[in-house]
Amino acid sequence: MLLPLLLLVVLSGCRRMQLPGEEGPEGTVMLSAETKALPTGVNTFRVALFHNRQYSGRSGTYCTNTFSYTDSYTDPLHPVAYTWLQPCKVNAQGQPLDNTDPGAVTTIDAADHSSVYGLRWNNGGSGWSGNAHLVAIAPAVGFNWEGHAAYLPWTIDSNVYVSDPVEGGFTGIWFRGEYVYTSSSLSEDSSLSKTLMDRRAKMTVKIQCSSDLIPDTYLYDVRVADRIVSDRFYLHEEGDNPQGFSLPADPEHPNITQYFVVDNVNTLVLQNSSDLPDISDPEHKHVHLEKGVTDWISKAPFYLQARDYSERLMTGKRPAIVVKVGADADHIITVRVPLDQELLPMHHYLYTLDVTNAYITVYFQVVGWDTPVLGGMTDTETPAYLGTVAIGGADPGDDAWGIGGGGDADTPVPTVNP
């Protein structure tokens, strides 16, 4: 059964406007989408409706299955067929369901596609002539709200995509403006493939030794500390919070509540690529780094929350790469390198530490989200030089990175002109 058309496409012809005294029943808002950005297996969407940046209490769920509907009402002389997403019954994890079995179905074809699951709206005196926004989540996981602020409970292991708000406005039961996430030439900037994003960044660590003065050293351990592991992701700006992750607490702005949790107890031990021994293995106490011969590269990228870690309020809350290096096992130096850069969502970063027995030079490079980073080979520009820091000296108090078993000071990498 075809669903009633409730959204008005921007056409070169006329636009339907609410007629005087016209009323109508509640119906399903139909959505068009471009889904190239989504990985294989992500096939459901949850769409939330906002008005004046406040969550309306209205949401609906859809899937990547489509159907065609011909709009003969907007311009009866020139009916146009459009392709729409089917509504879909889902559970809180975004898995498709049918109408009888409480368990998830194996394919979206087997799901219940009744129109009742889509976003519902009616024209009963809405008066929403503008400031209406839709935000999509894929897969169609559940979200929470407090008052009019809607947010997605986020964890570091969340494989979820969230769109930017797309603006429109209701006139009666019709949504003025572009269809949401259409990939037509009329609305290239609001296509789903450009707005739905995994709000994490990937990171690969490379450790090398390239000094002519001290051409080799030994590497004993590499790990990541102080990652943000849980947070709220606000679907729309509300109050003091913009759309995105919660802001760090600010003593000068007591209305800002920090919801993110930094794990300063557990560290993520990094393993190196398969052509070198695993230094976390007791049988292999160290890796010998030699200039031009041996580099250490983390086997698989790890995730970090995509946010600007250079902000002053992020002091003490920045993730850090912690390495143990030294000329021998009796002189191991612990070096803590906090990440002091802005990380963008769906970007993959290569963080290179050029290590000797006396210095660490830090480089920062962006590679493709899906680009393998093995052997240090990338397809992007020259890495950015961030600075060089001494890791040993006559006065350990001058070393903000820490010597011996220490090194928990959160000192950003100093920027030094080459």
Side-chain angles (χ1 to χ4, degrees):
M1 178 179 180
L2 295 178
L3 303 178
L5 179 63
L6 301 185
L7 294 181
L8 180 62
V9 173
V10 170
L11 301 172
S12 58
C14 63
R15 297 183 182 182
R16 181 189 189 282
M17 301 298 287
Q18 182 181 13
L19 301 177
E22 181 183 24
E23 295 182 359
E26 184 175 81
T28 302
V29 175
M30 297 204 300
L31 304 176
S32 174
E34 210 272 57
T35 61
K36 291 180 180 178
L38 298 179
T40 302
V42 179
N43 49 29
T44 62
F45 304 85
R46 188 179 298 272
V47 179
L49 174 63
F50 293 80
H51 183 232
N52 291 330
R53 301 179 176 84
Q54 298 180 340
Y55 177 53
S56 67
R58 298 278 181 138
S59 68
T61 53
Y62 301 80
C63 69
T64 51
N65 276 10
T66 60
F67 66 95
S68 180
Y69 181 85
T70 300
D71 175 17
S72 59
Y73 187 91
T74 302
D75 187 350
L77 297 179
H78 303 90
V80 180
Y82 296 100
T83 299
W84 306 107
L85 298 180
Q86 287 186 344
C88 186
K89 182 180 182 181
V90 302
N91 59 19
Q93 291 73 47
Q95 298 170 313
L97 305 174
D98 66 20
N99 198 32
T100 58
D101 187 349
V105 295
T106 56
T107 67
I108 56 175
D109 292 337
D112 185 352
H113 299 295
S114 171
S115 63
V116 69
Y117 302 114
L119 176 65
R120 312 289 291 180
W121 191 249
N122 60 52
N123 68 344
S126 71
W128 283 25
S129 58
N131 294 325
H133 294 84
L134 294 177
V135 176
I137 304 171
V141 296
F143 62 90
N144 300 330
W145 64 92
E146 291 180 351
H148 295 290
Y151 63 90
L152 180 71
W154 178 91
T155 68
I156 193 65
D157 297 321
S158 295
N159 184 20
V160 62
Y161 291 67
V162 186
S163 80
D164 293 334
V166 173
E167 184 175 9
F170 281 98
T171 301
I173 61 174
W174 296 83
F175 195 79
R176 284 191 299 110
E178 278 293 347
Y179 276 102
V180 178
Y181 306 131
T182 178
S183 59
S184 73
S185 59
L186 294 176
S187 181
E188 199 63 34
D189 290 340
S190 62
S191 89
L192 178 64
S193 63
K194 293 185 178 180
T195 61
L196 267 177
M197 289 184 288
D198 187 325
R199 303 295 170 149
R200 300 175 297 178
K202 288 180 182 177
M203 182 73 69
T204 294
V205 174
K206 177 182 179 181
I207 301 176
Q208 64 186 24
C209 186
S210 63
S211 170
D212 290 326
L213 180 62
I214 307 176
D216 70 334
T217 190
Y218 290 93
L219 182 63
Y220 292 87
D221 191 61
V222 184
R223 59 186 66 209
V224 185
D226 296 346
R227 289 195 302 170
I228 296 175
V229 294
S230 64
D231 198 359
R232 292 182 175 185
F233 187 92
Y234 285 93
L235 304 183
H236 205 304
E237 63 181 88
E238 198 280 331
D240 294 319
N241 276 296
Q243 187 213 20
F245 293 114
S246 67
L247 301 175
D250 186 352
E252 297 181 3
H253 297 86
N255 292 331
I256 295 178
T257 301
Q258 174 185 305
Y259 292 103
F260 63 80
V261 175
V262 177
D263 188 348
N264 53 19
V265 176
N266 302 298
T267 57
L268 177 66
V269 177
L270 299 185
Q271 297 179 349
N272 54 282
S273 51
S274 58
D275 58 335
L276 291 175
D278 178 8
I279 60 177
S280 64
D281 186 339
E283 296 299 319
H284 303 288
K285 300 297 185 183
H286 58 257
V287 168
H288 186 202
L289 298 179
E290 297 182 80
K291 177 188 174 183
V293 178
T294 306
D295 295 334
W296 186 98
I297 300 173
S298 52
K299 179 183 295 186
F302 57 92
Y303 290 100
L304 294 175
Q305 188 184 80
R307 67 159 64 229
D308 188 354
Y309 291 98
S310 67
E311 294 181 351
R312 174 184 59 86
L313 291 174
M314 291 304 296
T315 300
K317 307 174 182 68
R318 299 181 178 106
I321 310 300
V322 182
V323 299
K324 292 184 178 181
V325 295
D328 56 66
D330 294 327
H331 298 86
I332 297 177
I333 301 172
T334 300
V335 184
R336 177 187 170 90
V337 185
L339 297 171
D340 185 35
Q341 290 76 38
E342 181 178 10
L343 302 185
L344 300 176
M346 293 187 68
H347 283 61
H348 188 173
Y349 297 92
L350 177 62
Y351 209 68
T352 301
L353 307 182
D354 196 345
V355 180
T356 71
N357 292 332
Y359 299 95
I360 283 189
T361 305
V362 183
Y363 299 93
F364 198 58
Q365 188 173 4
V366 182
V367 301
W369 174 255
D370 296 318
T371 300
V373 185
L374 293 175
M377 301 302 294
T378 66
D379 56 358
T380 58
E381 69 280 355
T382 302
Y385 169 73
L386 298 184
T388 301
V389 177
I391 60 174
D395 184 2
D398 292 337
D399 179 12
W401 299 80
I403 296 179
D408 57 358
D410 192 7
T411 302
V413 176
T415 300
V416 181
N417 293 326

